[in-house]
Amino acid sequence: MADITRRLGWRHLRGAPTAHVRHHRSGRLMHDGPGLSFWYRSLTAALSEVPVDDRELAMTFHARTSDFQDVAVQATVTYRISDPALAASRLDFSIDPDTGSWRGTPLEQLGSLLTETAQQHALDVLARTSLASALVDAAVRERIAGGLDAEPRLPATGIEVVAARVVALRPEPEVERALRTPAREQIQQDADKATYERRAVAVERERAIAENELASQIELARREEQLVDQRGTNARREAEELAAADAVRAGAEAARTVRLAEAEATRSLRLAEAEATRKVRLAGAEAQAEREVGAARAEAQAAWLRVHGDVDVATLHALTGTRLAENLPRIENLTVSPDVLTGLLAKLGNGGEPA
Protein backbone atom coordinates (compact mmCIF):
# COMPACT_ATOMS: atom_id res chain seq x y z
CA MET A 1 0.00 0.00 0.00
CA ALA A 2 1.28 3.45 -1.01
CA ASP A 3 2.35 5.97 1.61
CA ILE A 4 0.25 9.15 1.20
CA THR A 5 0.69 12.38 3.17
CA ARG A 6 -1.45 15.56 3.12
CA ARG A 7 -0.22 19.14 2.76
CA LEU A 8 -2.67 22.05 2.32
CA GLY A 9 -5.01 20.33 -0.13
CA TRP A 10 -2.19 18.49 -1.88
CA ARG A 11 -1.32 14.88 -1.53
CA HIS A 12 2.12 13.29 -1.76
CA LEU A 13 2.45 9.66 -2.80
CA ARG A 14 5.58 7.63 -2.09
CA GLY A 15 5.50 4.20 -3.69
CA ALA A 16 7.50 1.06 -2.93
CA PRO A 17 10.08 -0.39 -5.35
CA THR A 18 7.87 -3.49 -5.76
CA ALA A 19 4.70 -1.51 -6.52
CA HIS A 20 3.90 -0.13 -9.99
CA VAL A 21 1.93 3.14 -9.70
CA ARG A 22 -0.15 4.68 -12.51
CA HIS A 23 -1.39 8.29 -12.15
CA HIS A 24 -4.07 9.62 -14.47
CA ARG A 25 -5.33 13.17 -14.41
CA SER A 26 -8.24 14.20 -16.62
CA GLY A 27 -7.79 10.99 -18.62
CA ARG A 28 -4.12 11.57 -19.26
CA LEU A 29 -1.34 9.35 -17.87
CA MET A 30 0.89 11.57 -15.71
CA HIS A 31 3.06 9.05 -13.85
CA ASP A 32 3.73 5.41 -14.63
CA GLY A 33 6.37 3.18 -12.99
CA PRO A 34 7.52 1.44 -9.79
CA GLY A 35 8.86 3.29 -6.78
CA LEU A 36 7.49 6.73 -7.82
CA SER A 37 7.13 9.75 -5.57
CA PHE A 38 5.05 12.80 -6.64
CA TRP A 39 2.49 15.43 -5.59
CA TYR A 40 -1.10 15.45 -6.82
CA ARG A 41 -4.59 16.71 -6.07
CA SER A 42 -7.02 14.12 -4.87
CA LEU A 43 -10.01 15.61 -6.70
CA THR A 44 -8.43 15.27 -10.15
CA ALA A 45 -6.23 12.20 -9.68
CA ALA A 46 -6.96 8.57 -10.57
CA LEU A 47 -4.43 6.25 -9.01
CA SER A 48 -3.77 2.55 -9.35
CA GLU A 49 -1.09 0.47 -7.62
CA VAL A 50 -0.07 -2.90 -9.07
CA PRO A 51 2.37 -5.15 -7.06
CA VAL A 52 5.12 -6.53 -9.27
CA ASP A 53 6.91 -8.77 -6.72
CA ASP A 54 6.63 -12.58 -6.60
CA ARG A 55 3.73 -13.77 -4.51
CA GLU A 56 2.83 -17.14 -3.05
CA LEU A 57 -0.71 -18.43 -3.35
CA ALA A 58 -1.62 -21.46 -1.20
CA MET A 59 -4.66 -23.44 -2.28
CA THR A 60 -6.49 -26.50 -1.03
CA PHE A 61 -9.22 -28.35 -2.89
CA HIS A 62 -10.79 -31.80 -3.09
CA ALA A 63 -10.85 -34.12 -6.10
CA ARG A 64 -11.85 -37.68 -6.98
CA THR A 65 -9.64 -40.26 -8.61
CA SER A 66 -10.56 -42.79 -11.28
CA ASP A 67 -11.25 -45.43 -8.60
CA PHE A 68 -13.73 -43.05 -6.89
CA GLN A 69 -11.52 -42.10 -3.94
CA ASP A 70 -11.67 -38.59 -2.53
CA VAL A 71 -8.32 -36.84 -2.08
CA ALA A 72 -7.32 -33.45 -0.69
CA VAL A 73 -4.80 -31.56 -2.79
CA GLN A 74 -2.59 -28.90 -1.20
CA ALA A 75 -0.67 -26.83 -3.72
CA THR A 76 1.27 -23.59 -3.86
CA VAL A 77 1.56 -21.35 -6.92
CA THR A 78 4.19 -18.62 -7.23
CA TYR A 79 3.21 -15.82 -9.64
CA ARG A 80 3.95 -12.23 -10.45
CA ILE A 81 2.34 -9.48 -12.55
CA SER A 82 4.58 -9.10 -15.54
CA ASP A 83 2.48 -6.42 -17.33
CA PRO A 84 1.20 -3.91 -14.72
CA ALA A 85 -0.57 -1.71 -17.31
CA LEU A 86 -2.48 -4.69 -18.72
CA ALA A 87 -3.31 -5.99 -15.25
CA ALA A 88 -4.52 -2.52 -14.19
CA SER A 89 -6.76 -2.38 -17.25
CA ARG A 90 -8.20 -5.87 -16.66
CA LEU A 91 -8.50 -5.80 -12.88
CA ASP A 92 -9.43 -3.08 -10.43
CA PHE A 93 -6.11 -1.99 -8.82
CA SER A 94 -7.34 1.56 -8.15
CA ILE A 95 -6.51 3.08 -4.76
CA ASP A 96 -8.13 5.80 -2.70
CA PRO A 97 -6.18 9.06 -3.31
CA ASP A 98 -6.61 10.04 0.33
CA THR A 99 -5.73 6.76 2.11
CA GLY A 100 -3.79 4.75 -0.50
CA SER A 101 -5.81 1.56 0.06
CA TRP A 102 -7.33 -0.49 -2.72
CA ARG A 103 -10.95 0.19 -3.45
CA GLY A 104 -11.51 -3.38 -4.64
CA THR A 105 -9.96 -6.80 -3.99
CA PRO A 106 -7.73 -7.42 -7.01
CA LEU A 107 -5.48 -9.94 -5.32
CA GLU A 108 -8.46 -12.06 -4.31
CA GLN A 109 -9.61 -12.03 -7.90
CA LEU A 110 -6.17 -13.15 -9.03
CA GLY A 111 -6.22 -15.86 -6.38
CA SER A 112 -9.58 -17.11 -7.48
CA LEU A 113 -8.46 -17.16 -11.09
CA LEU A 114 -5.29 -19.11 -10.33
CA THR A 115 -7.02 -21.48 -7.93
CA GLU A 116 -9.81 -22.31 -10.35
CA THR A 117 -7.37 -22.82 -13.18
CA ALA A 118 -5.10 -25.10 -11.12
CA GLN A 119 -8.08 -26.98 -9.71
CA GLN A 120 -9.49 -27.54 -13.18
CA HIS A 121 -6.29 -29.17 -14.44
CA ALA A 122 -5.78 -31.16 -11.23
CA LEU A 123 -9.33 -32.52 -11.38
CA ASP A 124 -8.84 -33.43 -15.01
CA VAL A 125 -5.69 -35.47 -14.39
CA LEU A 126 -6.94 -37.07 -11.15
CA ALA A 127 -10.17 -38.20 -12.82
CA ARG A 128 -8.04 -40.34 -15.12
CA THR A 129 -5.58 -41.58 -12.47
CA SER A 130 -6.00 -44.18 -9.75
CA LEU A 131 -5.35 -43.30 -6.13
CA ALA A 132 -2.20 -45.42 -5.83
CA SER A 133 -0.73 -43.89 -9.00
CA ALA A 134 -1.68 -40.36 -7.96
CA LEU A 135 0.07 -40.74 -4.61
CA VAL A 136 3.37 -41.84 -6.15
CA ASP A 137 3.30 -40.03 -9.49
CA ALA A 138 4.20 -36.38 -10.15
CA ALA A 139 1.63 -36.07 -12.93
CA VAL A 140 -0.59 -33.76 -10.85
CA ARG A 141 2.13 -31.18 -10.33
CA GLU A 142 3.24 -31.39 -13.95
CA ARG A 143 -0.31 -31.04 -15.20
CA ILE A 144 -1.00 -28.05 -12.93
CA ALA A 145 2.22 -26.30 -14.01
CA GLY A 146 1.62 -27.10 -17.68
CA GLY A 147 -2.03 -26.05 -17.50
CA LEU A 148 -1.19 -22.71 -15.86
CA ASP A 149 1.48 -22.02 -18.45
CA ALA A 150 -0.97 -22.82 -21.28
CA GLU A 151 -3.91 -20.94 -19.79
CA PRO A 152 -4.64 -17.98 -22.19
CA ARG A 153 -6.42 -15.89 -19.56
CA LEU A 154 -3.29 -15.43 -17.46
CA PRO A 155 -1.13 -13.72 -20.13
CA ALA A 156 -4.18 -11.75 -21.17
CA THR A 157 -4.43 -10.45 -17.61
CA GLY A 158 -0.68 -9.70 -17.39
CA ILE A 159 0.08 -12.58 -14.97
CA GLU A 160 3.12 -14.87 -15.20
CA VAL A 161 3.31 -18.15 -13.27
CA VAL A 162 6.79 -18.66 -11.82
CA ALA A 163 6.35 -22.10 -10.23
CA ALA A 164 3.68 -24.57 -9.16
CA ARG A 165 4.18 -27.10 -6.34
CA VAL A 166 1.92 -29.83 -4.98
CA VAL A 167 2.62 -29.83 -1.25
CA ALA A 168 0.45 -32.82 -0.32
CA LEU A 169 -2.02 -35.24 -1.80
CA ARG A 170 -3.93 -36.96 0.99
CA PRO A 171 -6.79 -39.47 0.76
CA GLU A 172 -9.43 -39.93 3.45
CA PRO A 173 -8.13 -41.15 6.83
CA GLU A 174 -9.68 -44.63 6.51
CA VAL A 175 -8.31 -45.08 3.01
CA GLU A 176 -4.94 -43.75 4.09
CA ARG A 177 -4.82 -46.24 6.95
CA ALA A 178 -5.81 -49.04 4.56
CA LEU A 179 -3.09 -47.99 2.14
CA ARG A 180 -0.58 -47.82 4.94
CA THR A 181 -1.37 -51.35 6.12
CA PRO A 182 0.42 -53.30 3.31
CA ALA A 183 3.36 -50.96 3.43
CA ARG A 184 3.41 -51.16 7.20
CA GLU A 185 3.23 -54.95 7.05
CA GLN A 186 6.02 -54.99 4.48
CA ILE A 187 8.05 -52.66 6.63
CA GLN A 188 7.35 -54.86 9.65
CA GLN A 189 8.37 -57.93 7.66
CA ASP A 190 11.50 -56.17 6.52
CA ALA A 191 12.13 -55.14 10.11
CA ASP A 192 11.59 -58.71 11.33
CA LYS A 193 13.82 -60.00 8.56
CA ALA A 194 16.44 -57.45 9.48
CA THR A 195 16.04 -58.47 13.13
CA TYR A 196 16.45 -62.14 12.29
CA GLU A 197 19.39 -61.39 10.05
CA ARG A 198 20.88 -59.22 12.75
CA ARG A 199 20.35 -61.99 15.28
CA ALA A 200 21.87 -64.51 12.87
CA VAL A 201 24.80 -62.22 12.30
CA ALA A 202 25.07 -61.70 16.06
CA VAL A 203 24.99 -65.49 16.65
CA GLU A 204 27.58 -65.98 13.93
CA ARG A 205 29.72 -63.25 15.41
CA GLU A 206 29.30 -64.74 18.88
CA ARG A 207 30.31 -68.13 17.50
CA ALA A 208 33.32 -66.56 15.81
CA ILE A 209 34.14 -64.74 19.02
CA ALA A 210 33.77 -67.97 21.01
CA GLU A 211 36.01 -69.80 18.53
CA ASN A 212 38.52 -67.00 18.72
CA GLU A 213 38.38 -67.10 22.51
CA LEU A 214 38.80 -70.90 22.48
CA ALA A 215 41.70 -70.61 20.06
CA SER A 216 43.15 -67.89 22.24
CA GLN A 217 42.76 -70.08 25.33
CA ILE A 218 44.39 -73.02 23.53
CA GLU A 219 47.23 -70.82 22.37
CA LEU A 220 47.50 -69.37 25.85
CA ALA A 221 47.59 -72.85 27.41
CA ARG A 222 50.27 -73.91 24.90
CA ARG A 223 52.30 -70.84 25.69
CA GLU A 224 51.79 -71.44 29.41
CA GLU A 225 53.08 -75.00 28.92
CA GLN A 226 56.08 -73.62 27.09
CA LEU A 227 56.49 -71.08 29.85
CA VAL A 228 56.36 -73.82 32.52
CA ASP A 229 58.94 -75.88 30.58
CA GLN A 230 61.12 -72.85 30.17
CA ARG A 231 60.75 -72.00 33.84
CA GLY A 232 61.69 -75.61 34.76
CA THR A 233 64.71 -75.43 32.46
CA ASN A 234 65.67 -72.11 33.95
CA ALA A 235 65.18 -73.47 37.47
CA ARG A 236 67.34 -76.52 36.72
CA ARG A 237 69.97 -74.35 35.12
CA GLU A 238 69.85 -71.99 38.04
CA ALA A 239 70.09 -74.92 40.50
CA GLU A 240 73.05 -76.35 38.57
CA GLU A 241 74.73 -72.99 38.51
CA LEU A 242 74.02 -72.53 42.22
CA ALA A 243 75.36 -76.04 42.95
CA ALA A 244 78.47 -75.35 40.90
CA ALA A 245 78.89 -72.04 42.66
CA ASP A 246 78.37 -73.74 46.04
CA ALA A 247 80.92 -76.42 45.09
CA VAL A 248 83.41 -73.78 44.04
CA ARG A 249 82.66 -71.84 47.19
CA ALA A 250 82.97 -75.00 49.35
CA GLY A 251 86.25 -75.94 47.66
CA ALA A 252 87.59 -72.47 48.17
CA GLU A 253 86.40 -72.52 51.78
CA ALA A 254 87.97 -75.97 52.35
CA ALA A 255 91.20 -74.85 50.73
CA ARG A 256 91.18 -71.71 52.86
CA THR A 257 90.43 -73.80 55.95
CA VAL A 258 93.27 -76.21 55.08
CA ARG A 259 95.60 -73.31 54.51
CA LEU A 260 94.50 -71.74 57.78
CA ALA A 261 94.91 -75.11 59.60
CA GLU A 262 98.32 -75.66 58.06
CA ALA A 263 99.34 -72.14 58.96
CA GLU A 264 97.94 -72.59 62.48
CA ALA A 265 99.72 -75.94 62.82
CA THR A 266 102.94 -74.45 61.55
CA ARG A 267 102.58 -71.51 63.88
CA SER A 268 101.68 -73.86 66.80
CA LEU A 269 104.63 -76.08 65.96
CA ARG A 270 106.91 -73.13 65.83
CA LEU A 271 105.53 -71.82 69.10
CA ALA A 272 105.88 -75.30 70.68
CA GLU A 273 109.45 -75.61 69.41
CA ALA A 274 110.22 -72.14 70.68
CA GLU A 275 108.55 -72.91 74.02
CA ALA A 276 110.39 -76.23 74.26
CA THR A 277 113.63 -74.55 73.37
CA ARG A 278 112.89 -71.85 75.91
CA LYS A 279 111.99 -74.45 78.55
CA VAL A 280 115.11 -76.47 77.74
CA ARG A 281 117.20 -73.42 77.96
CA LEU A 282 115.44 -72.37 81.17
CA ALA A 283 115.82 -75.88 82.64
CA GLY A 284 119.47 -75.88 81.68
CA ALA A 285 119.92 -72.45 83.19
CA GLU A 286 118.05 -73.52 86.33
CA ALA A 287 120.07 -76.74 86.54
CA GLN A 288 123.25 -74.79 86.06
CA ALA A 289 122.12 -72.29 88.66
CA GLU A 290 121.15 -75.08 91.04
CA ARG A 291 124.47 -76.78 90.41
CA GLU A 292 126.27 -73.54 91.05
CA VAL A 293 124.11 -72.81 94.14
CA GLY A 294 124.67 -76.38 95.39
CA ALA A 295 128.36 -76.03 94.78
CA ALA A 296 128.39 -72.72 96.58
CA ARG A 297 126.37 -74.18 99.43
CA ALA A 298 128.65 -77.18 99.59
CA GLU A 299 131.64 -74.92 99.52
CA ALA A 300 130.10 -72.79 102.29
CA GLN A 301 129.18 -75.86 104.32
CA ALA A 302 132.65 -77.22 103.87
CA ALA A 303 134.13 -73.93 104.93
CA TRP A 304 131.72 -73.81 107.88
CA LEU A 305 132.65 -77.31 108.84
CA ARG A 306 136.32 -76.52 108.50
CA VAL A 307 135.87 -73.46 110.73
CA HIS A 308 133.89 -75.35 113.35
CA GLY A 309 136.25 -78.27 113.22
CA ASP A 310 139.00 -76.15 114.68
CA VAL A 311 136.81 -74.76 117.54
CA ASP A 312 136.54 -76.44 120.95
CA VAL A 313 133.37 -78.13 122.23
CA ALA A 314 132.45 -75.40 124.71
CA THR A 315 132.49 -72.78 122.01
CA LEU A 316 130.35 -74.94 119.80
CA HIS A 317 127.88 -75.37 122.65
CA ALA A 318 127.79 -71.63 123.11
CA LEU A 319 127.24 -71.05 119.42
CA THR A 320 124.56 -73.69 119.42
CA GLY A 321 122.82 -72.06 122.33
CA THR A 322 123.09 -68.70 120.69
CA ARG A 323 121.69 -70.07 117.42
CA LEU A 324 118.96 -71.80 119.33
CA ALA A 325 118.14 -68.63 121.20
CA GLU A 326 117.88 -66.80 117.89
CA ASN A 327 115.42 -69.31 116.61
CA LEU A 328 113.30 -69.48 119.78
CA PRO A 329 110.18 -67.37 120.02
CA ARG A 330 110.21 -64.22 122.09
CA ILE A 331 109.59 -64.88 125.85
CA GLU A 332 107.79 -62.06 127.58
CA ASN A 333 107.56 -63.60 131.06
CA LEU A 334 109.57 -66.47 132.55
CA THR A 335 108.48 -68.26 135.70
CA VAL A 336 111.16 -70.25 137.43
CA SER A 337 110.03 -72.73 140.05
CA PRO A 338 112.18 -73.46 143.09
CA ASP A 339 112.94 -76.94 141.82
CA VAL A 340 114.29 -75.64 138.59
CA LEU A 341 116.16 -72.86 140.27
CA THR A 342 117.73 -75.35 142.74
CA GLY A 343 118.83 -77.59 139.92
CA LEU A 344 120.33 -74.71 137.98
CA LEU A 345 122.15 -73.40 141.00
CA ALA A 346 123.49 -76.85 141.68
CA LYS A 347 124.75 -77.07 138.13
CA LEU A 348 126.36 -73.70 138.41
CA GLY A 349 128.01 -74.67 141.73
CA ASN A 350 129.39 -77.78 140.11
CA GLY A 351 130.94 -75.86 137.29
CA GLY A 352 128.43 -76.86 134.79
CA GLU A 353 128.77 -80.55 135.28
CA PRO A 354 125.93 -82.70 136.25
CA ALA A 355 125.72 -83.93 139.78
Side-chain angles (χ1 to χ4, degrees):
M1 187 176 65
D3 185 11
I4 297 176
T5 58
R6 302 179 182 183
R7 292 291 187 276
L8 300 175
W10 288 83
R11 304 290 185 271
H12 182 270
L13 183 143
R14 183 177 60 187
T18 57
H20 188 97
V21 178
R22 293 172 62 84
H23 174 212
H24 291 80
R25 186 177 62 188
S26 300
R28 292 184 302 172
L29 183 62
M30 305 300 298
H31 299 90
D32 186 16
L36 298 180
S37 179
F38 54 86
W39 290 93
Y40 64 92
R41 286 185 178 274
S42 61
L43 296 177
T44 60
L47 302 174
S48 60
E49 183 182 22
V50 181
V52 293
D53 56 337
D54 292 350
R55 291 180 174 267
E56 300 286 340
L57 176 62
M59 59 185 71
T60 301
F61 52 88
H62 292 271
R64 178 170 293 182
T65 61
S66 60
D67 50 357
F68 305 103
Q69 298 296 327
D70 292 335
V71 293
V73 181
Q74 296 179 0
T76 301
V77 176
T78 303
Y79 69 95
R80 66 186 181 89
I81 300 176
S82 60
D83 192 347
L86 181 59
S89 64
R90 298 295 299 271
L91 299 174
D92 185 12
F93 284 96
S94 63
I95 60 176
D96 191 335
D98 292 328
T99 60
S101 58
W102 279 314
R103 291 178 175 175
T105 55
L107 296 181
E108 293 181 4
Q109 295 178 5
L110 281 178
S112 299
L113 176 61
L114 292 172
T115 301
E116 292 175 358
T117 303
Q119 184 176 1
Q120 176 184 355
H121 294 288
L123 293 175
D124 186 24
V125 69
L126 287 174
R128 294 180 282 104
T129 307
S130 64
L131 177 60
S133 300
L135 292 177
V136 299
D137 197 359
V140 177
R141 185 191 62 80
E142 294 175 356
R143 182 58 183 273
I144 290 176
L148 291 175
D149 291 337
E151 178 63 33
R153 291 183 57 189
L154 299 180
T157 314
I159 300 173
E160 179 183 356
V161 176
V162 178
R165 299 180 300 278
V166 176
V167 179
L169 187 64
R170 293 184 177 278
E172 293 181 351
E174 294 81 1
V175 178
E176 186 174 4
R177 283 194 296 271
L179 292 175
R180 287 179 180 177
T181 301
R184 186 176 299 172
E185 292 296 330
Q186 184 64 35
I187 293 173
Q188 187 63 37
Q189 293 177 5
D190 294 340
D192 294 340
K193 182 179 179 181
T195 302
Y196 298 148
E197 291 178 354
R198 184 171 65 253
R199 290 179 180 176
V201 172
V203 171
E204 183 66 23
R205 290 180 178 177
E206 289 179 358
R207 185 185 62 80
I209 292 173
E211 290 180 355
N212 292 333
E213 290 179 352
L214 181 59
S216 300
Q217 292 178 359
I218 295 174
E219 181 66 19
L220 182 60
R222 186 178 63 80
R223 292 188 178 182
E224 287 181 353
E225 182 180 1
Q226 294 178 355
L227 181 60
V228 170
D229 294 340
Q230 186 64 35
R231 285 179 177 175
T233 302
N234 295 337
R236 287 193 298 273
R237 185 179 299 172
E238 185 177 0
E240 292 174 357
E241 292 179 354
L242 290 176
D246 292 339
V248 172
R249 190 181 302 108
E253 186 67 22
R256 187 178 67 86
T257 304
V258 170
R259 288 196 299 270
L260 291 176
E262 291 177 354
E264 184 67 21
T266 302
R267 187 177 65 84
S268 299
L269 181 60
R270 290 178 181 177
L271 290 176
E273 291 178 353
E275 183 68 20
T277 303
R278 185 182 67 81
K279 289 182 178 180
V280 169
R281 290 178 181 176
L282 182 60
E286 290 179 353
Q288 183 66 26
E290 287 180 357
R291 286 194 298 270
E292 292 179 355
V293 170
R297 287 180 179 177
E299 184 66 26
Q301 189 69 24
W304 185 79
L305 290 175
R306 284 194 301 270
V307 172
H308 286 76
D310 297 334
V311 180
D312 55 1
V313 176
T315 303
L316 292 174
H317 287 170
L319 291 174
T320 302
T322 303
R323 184 66 59 85
L324 181 61
E326 290 177 357
N327 293 324
L328 289 176
R330 182 178 179 182
I331 300 173
E332 298 292 338
N333 297 314
L334 179 64
T335 303
V336 180
S337 65
D339 294 336
V340 175
L341 183 59
T342 300
L344 288 176
L345 290 177
K347 288 180 179 180
L348 288 176
N350 292 327
E353 294 180 359

